[in-house]
Every structure is written in C-alpha cells, then in structure tokens.
Amino acid sequence: MADLPHKSILQNDALLQYILNTSAYPKEHEQLKQLRETTAEKYGYKSIMNVPIDEAQFLSMLLKLMNAKKTLEVGVFTGYSLLATALALPEDGKVVAIDVDKEAFQTGLPFVKSAGVDHKINFIQSDGIACLKDLLNKGEEGSFDFAFMDADKRSYIKYHDMLLKLVKIGGVIAYDNTLWFGSVALNDQDPMPETLRKFRGPVMELNSFLANDPRVESAILSIGDGLTLCRRLY
C-alpha cells in the first residue's frame, strides 16, 4: 500500500495544503485530531484508510443539512469518519458501524468516548454483506437516512441493492474512493502500482453502474479520493 500516492484527488500539494490549513485544520474537533494523529503513529501509511479531514468535514455538514438521525457505515478502520458522523448527529442519533476489524475500531474508541458520543454508536464486528442481510431480515428496510460505504471496492455493486433497501426514499448513500487515486482516468496500458490496478476496474464498473441506475440520482465529487453521492428516488 505504501506505493500509493497521497489520498487526495488534488495532485497539487500546495493547493491541498492551503485547503487543509485554511479550512480543515482550524475546524477539526480536538478528539478527531487526536484520533488522526494516533492512527498515523500506530498504522503509518495505512492510516490513509481513514477519510481525509476535508472529506469528513463535508460529510458532517451534509448530515446536518439532511437532518439525519440514523445512519449506517460499512468499513470503519479506526473510526475517523465514524466519529465525525457521531458528532454531527443529534443527541438521540444513531449510527450502525460495521467492520470485521474490531482491534482497529478499539484504537479509536477512547476518542469517541472522550467526545461523549459513544452512546450514538452501535459497532458490529461482521462481514458487511452478511450484516446488511441481517439488518434487512430484522425489518430495518427504509429506516436509515444515510449510508457511508468504505469497504471492499470489489463488492460495492453487491452492497448497492441492499443499501438501497436500507435507506429511505430521499436518503443518501455515499461511496468512498470512486476516483481511486485518479487511476480511473488512466488507460489500461498506463503504468500504475499493482494496488491501483487491482481495484481500478471494479471502481470504474461501479461508476458506470451508478450513472445508469434509474433508482438514484448521483454525483461524483472530487473530494478526498472521490466521493459518489446517490440519492434514492424510489
């Protein structure tokens, strides 16, 4: 994974740093900052598995504009986006967080508790697809305002139908990494790290699929590593 570029579609480092210094860092919650720094110290380059600061701030504002109260997150890692979500939700809000890696989640848990939002989070250690099926079997269809997907890119399309059932009509699904370090704009013959090549195809397939899915209106945002928002129409 260390052969990947930094996790921002902005390849101008000076412009990225301007955004972070001017807007992102000054508004970053203290517990988010501590979680980010602890993750970087413990996991090194793998810390890019968390969402970038500016993307987390965008998601936080989106949730508030939506008046979201119940959300779903698949793929948690140490929980930067999860904590940002919990902070954005009202006091009685809830987020169901799913990940197979409980150890990484527990790395971020002290910061969640320090922020006073642990009561909003229901962490489930599970395979994502199995857990979503279980939620549907338990009658959770149409009960979520928002879902954030940041798990195995090769399975995004498999997740899509289940997520569409779980979010309410008018609800939003956000797919992370949909520009995949910019590799979606490269040709098959172009040189690229094997990690990029491995997931580039599934990401491009997802983008085409979502663009032609009549059940949603969608938009790809050039923030972070690419974020696609899908609003359920029916």
Side-chain angles (χ1 to χ4, degrees):
M1 186 175 282
D3 57 349
L4 297 178
H6 59 66
K7 193 179 180 183
S8 174
I9 204 63
L10 286 175
Q11 296 304 303
N12 184 315
D13 289 335
L15 182 56
L16 175 60
Q17 211 53 48
Y18 174 82
I19 293 171
L20 296 178
N21 291 336
T22 305
S23 177
Y25 290 142
K27 296 290 183 73
E28 186 179 26
H29 191 282
E30 180 59 30
Q31 297 306 317
L32 283 170
K33 178 184 178 182
Q34 291 184 25
L35 191 159
R36 173 171 58 84
E37 292 173 345
T38 298
T39 301
E41 182 179 340
K42 180 173 181 177
Y43 291 95
Y45 192 79
K46 283 182 66 177
S47 63
I48 68 165
M49 290 170 62
N50 275 331
V51 301
I53 311 170
D54 54 341
E55 182 180 340
Q57 289 183 336
F58 169 78
L59 291 171
S60 173
M61 185 178 294
L62 176 64
L63 291 168
K64 292 171 184 174
L65 289 170
M66 292 174 60
N67 293 315
K69 199 169 183 179
K70 184 178 179 182
T71 74
L72 178 66
E73 181 163 334
V74 185
V76 174
F77 190 44
T78 61
Y80 192 90
S81 56
L82 177 61
L83 177 52
T85 296
L87 287 166
L89 294 179
E91 187 61 22
D92 59 345
K94 296 294 180 185
V95 51
V96 175
I98 305 164
D99 203 306
V100 294
D101 186 358
K102 189 173 183 178
E103 187 274 335
F105 166 72
Q106 289 176 328
T107 297
L109 187 56
F111 307 104
V112 172
K113 291 182 176 179
S114 293
V117 293
D118 50 303
H119 64 285
K120 300 180 186 180
I121 296 171
N122 176 20
F123 177 80
I124 302 174
Q125 184 179 15
S126 171
D127 167 77
I129 289 178
C131 190
L132 295 190
K133 288 180 179 178
D134 187 54
L135 289 173
L136 288 169
N137 289 335
K138 290 178 177 177
E140 293 282 2
E141 185 167 344
S143 68
F144 290 90
D145 300 302
F146 177 84
F148 182 65
M149 171 58 60
D150 191 15
D152 179 14
K153 316 309 168 196
R154 294 167 296 188
S155 300
Y156 270 14
I157 291 180
K158 292 181 182 178
Y159 282 111
H160 185 63
D161 280 342
M162 288 184 285
L163 290 173
L164 266 184
K165 293 176 182 177
L166 287 164
V167 300
K168 66 184 183 182
I169 294 174
V172 173
I173 305 168
Y175 290 97
D176 201 23
N177 307 114
T178 52
L179 294 178
W180 199 234
F181 297 90
S183 66
V184 294
L186 300 177
N187 296 315
D188 291 340
Q189 298 77 22
D190 288 335
M192 67 185 82
E194 189 55 38
T195 307
L196 286 192
R197 192 177 299 278
K198 179 179 179 181
F199 296 106
R200 173 177 170 270
V203 169
M204 294 178 70
E205 184 181 356
L206 171 78
N207 291 337
S208 296
F209 177 83
L210 294 178
N212 291 284
D213 187 347
R215 299 168 295 177
V216 299
E217 56 178 329
S218 63
I220 300 177
L221 307 182
S222 52
I223 190 171
D225 186 31
L227 180 71
T228 298
L229 300 181
C230 299
R231 178 176 173 267
R232 182 184 171 186
L233 297 176
Y234 59 83

